[in-house]
Amino acid sequence: MLDILAITSPIFLIIALGYVAVRQNIIAQDVARGMGSFVMNFALPALLVKTLSGRPIADIIHGEFLIAYGGGSLIILTIGIAYTRFIARKSFANATLQGLGMSFSNSGFIGYPIALQVLGPPAAIALTLCVMIETLVMMPLVLVLGDSANNNGQGRLQVLGTALKNLCKTPIIIAIFAGLCLSLTGIELPAPALKAIDMLAMSSGPVALFVIGAGLVGLKIRGMRVDMARIVTGKLILHPLIVFSLVWLMPPMEPVLQIAAVSFACSPMLSIYAVFGQRYGHEGLCAASLMIATSLSFITISTALWLLDTTQVFGPMP
């Protein structure tokens, strides 16, 4: 267990550092948001291009991983929406948000830095696969469900078309497409470009963690304990368990990818969860759930990695 804490503790110390830096006005929260934009628009895309461009396409696309992680995410999304709508008797927009919080991991800002510490370079392949699932499947689906429930005057197909159009313009999707093209064609970038991409990629992990901590400043809990408990339990416990079950049931894949799938599922929800909440009128619930899930994820991630290491169900840790 001490070996696992030696991996996870530095990650959450950087998150704590980001929180303290903004809390003590060492760095303004607007500056921290700018750092987050840097990660999303430059550092993570550079990491994806670097990872994809230097590998054969067969080493990048792993169908078992896509099915296990994507299937697990869709299952918990469905469970979250159904339970919240029909048993907790919440609105469909609220149910969609709660399902989103249970199923959409913070792959770039928390999942990848943790997987990188545990698995090394293969973590970048897992990040690429997770991003494909979350941006090409989960994000459009949630937008269609949420916007349709919100009665904004658009039909489902129109909402889906708008969502896909916007996603195609994002740097992360462009980076995945560019990296895959480089992998398929075998084209090598010039050495100066590769060096610049490598420098940007190396900054993605620590800066992302710092931004997560900074974003927790000012979030408050206000009388939503039952809903928060449901979202946090779904995200930190049910999502990893479902992904673990599917990984275990699937035909064998590389052990590092099996561990990566569970590690990414253990991460708290995406950092812009509160933005989605604002879109549908539940910003407070989403912001509070994000704060609690991020705080508790230190315990759940460390425990999950310790169990994987102890049982060696997927083989020994690298």
Side-chain angles (χ1 to χ4, degrees):
M1 187 64 177
L2 291 178
D3 291 339
I4 297 301
L5 291 176
I7 293 173
T8 57
S9 295
I11 290 168
F12 287 92
L13 284 174
I14 296 176
I15 293 176
L17 181 62
Y19 180 87
V20 172
V22 173
R23 182 75 176 178
Q24 299 299 319
N25 293 318
I26 299 172
I27 291 179
Q29 197 158 45
D30 288 343
V31 174
R33 291 192 185 100
M35 295 168 65
S37 297
F38 164 78
V39 172
M40 293 299 296
N41 295 322
F42 295 97
L44 280 179
L47 172 68
L48 295 174
V49 171
K50 174 188 174 183
T51 301
L52 297 176
S53 62
R55 295 173 180 266
I57 193 69
D59 293 343
I60 298 171
I61 304 301
H62 296 268
E64 294 86 356
F65 185 102
L66 293 171
I67 293 172
Y69 188 83
S73 298
L74 289 173
I75 288 171
I76 188 60
L77 174 67
T78 303
I79 292 174
I81 292 175
Y83 185 94
T84 307
R85 180 71 182 96
F86 299 110
I87 297 180
R89 301 292 183 180
K90 303 291 182 178
S91 69
F92 192 75
N94 186 303
T96 300
L97 280 173
Q98 294 201 31
L100 170 67
M102 298 178 194
S103 60
F104 204 129
S105 295
N106 195 337
S107 300
F109 283 11
I110 294 184
Y112 171 70
I114 289 172
L116 179 63
Q117 292 295 313
V118 176
L119 305 173
I125 293 294
L127 171 64
T128 304
L129 297 172
C130 287
V131 168
M132 288 180 178
I133 294 165
E134 291 165 351
T135 58
L136 300 180
V137 178
M138 301 292 292
M139 186 77 74
L141 177 59
V142 168
L143 286 172
V144 168
L145 293 174
D147 284 0
S148 297
N150 212 34
N151 294 320
N152 62 355
Q154 290 184 309
R156 285 184 171 86
L157 289 178
Q158 188 176 359
V159 172
L160 178 60
T162 301
L164 292 175
K165 183 178 179 180
N166 291 335
L167 285 173
C168 288
K169 297 177 182 178
T170 59
I172 285 181
I173 297 301
I174 294 172
I176 291 175
F177 178 75
L180 290 174
C181 287
L182 291 172
S183 174
L184 287 169
T185 60
I187 296 174
E188 294 186 4
L189 296 173
L194 285 175
K195 183 62 176 178
I197 289 173
D198 188 53
M199 292 171 68
L200 286 170
M202 289 175 63
S203 69
S204 60
V207 177
L209 295 171
F210 189 93
V211 170
I212 284 291
L216 296 178
V217 177
L219 299 184
K220 298 179 180 179
I221 302 174
R222 298 172 183 169
M224 300 167 286
R225 293 181 180 177
V226 173
D227 287 339
M228 283 191 303
R230 183 184 304 118
I231 295 170
V232 172
T233 301
K235 183 68 207 69
L236 298 184
I237 297 178
L238 295 183
H239 189 199
L241 284 176
I242 292 173
V243 170
F244 170 84
S245 299
L246 291 179
V247 169
W248 186 70
L249 291 172
M250 290 293 296
M253 67 179 96
E254 295 179 28
V256 291
L257 290 179
Q258 293 176 315
I259 296 170
V262 178
S263 299
F264 276 88
C266 286
S267 302
M269 64 282 291
L270 68 169
S271 58
I272 58 170
Y273 187 43
V275 176
F276 278 91
Q278 186 178 29
R279 183 185 181 97
Y280 304 121
H282 299 284
E283 181 179 9
L285 172 62
C286 293
S289 299
L290 174 64
M291 180 181 69
I292 297 299
T294 303
S295 302
L296 292 179
S297 63
F298 171 73
I299 299 173
T300 57
I301 291 172
S302 299
T303 302
L305 292 177
W306 175 72
L307 288 173
L308 290 175
D309 185 43
T310 302
T311 62
Q312 294 191 5
V313 65
F314 300 137
M317 291 277 193

